[in-house]
Amino acid sequence: MASKAGLTRLTGNVYGPDCDDDDCPNVYVTDHGTFVVQGNAYDGFKAPDGEGLVEIPEHVLREAIRVLGW
């Protein structure tokens, strides 16, 4: 399991459907300003090597935006 060091979770405080504990879709911000998205793997097309695709619900992005005050 990957370490969450250097990550701040922006979402997951308002539990959406099909969500319990740490297995919810979430958006994290890193200590250097990039985002990490946790969600179900998306297999609609193959991402380039070293990249991945995840699918997250709209309410998760809205929550992340609200937390950031945007």
Side-chain angles (χ1 to χ4, degrees):
M1 184 155 141
S3 171
K4 292 183 182 177
L7 298 178
T8 300
R9 186 166 74 175
L10 300 176
T11 58
N13 302 319
V14 178
Y15 292 105
D18 305 319
C19 182
D20 59 6
D21 298 326
D22 270 350
D23 65 351
C24 306
N26 282 300
V27 177
Y28 299 86
V29 64
T30 67
D31 55 4
H32 54 276
T34 61
F35 294 93
V36 174
V37 179
Q38 172 188 343
N40 296 326
Y42 180 77
D43 62 2
F45 65 93
K46 184 179 178 338
D49 288 343
E51 296 183 6
L53 305 167
V54 297
E55 186 173 11
I56 61 170
E58 180 180 332
H59 73 87
V60 174
L61 289 178
R62 289 184 180 277
E63 184 182 353
I65 290 167
R66 179 190 60 77
V67 168
L68 289 169
W70 292 356

